[in-house]
Amino acid sequence: MPATNLRQATEQFQRQLITQALDHSQGNWAAAARQLGTDRANVMRMAKRLGIQVVKTVV
């Protein structure tokens, strides 16, 4: 089992939850925040801290 401290494990878990919510909501930050039970600004702040970005393309 790799040596992981509590902070690393928490960040990994947060990253996973936010990424899944964004995938489920097709990159919609407000919908992802509702799914996570928090507000959009908080999710965006956490995502920035965790290095999560959403890239949208125009077809």
Side-chain angles (χ1 to χ4, degrees):
M1 177 177 232
T4 303
N5 65 31
L6 181 59
R7 179 183 208 125
Q8 290 171 331
T10 301
E11 288 178 353
Q12 182 179 357
F13 182 66
Q14 289 174 333
R15 193 175 292 112
Q16 180 183 10
L17 284 178
I18 293 170
T19 301
Q20 287 175 350
L22 284 166
D23 285 344
H24 186 261
S25 66
Q26 299 174 336
N28 184 309
W29 289 95
R34 281 191 299 273
Q35 182 180 342
L36 294 169
T38 189
D39 61 285
R40 181 187 58 83
N42 193 30
V43 173
M44 292 185 82
R45 194 176 313 111
M46 288 191 320
K48 182 177 181 179
R49 180 176 54 81
L50 295 169
I52 299 170
Q53 297 178 346
V54 173
V55 178
K56 293 187 178 184
T57 58
V58 178
V59 179

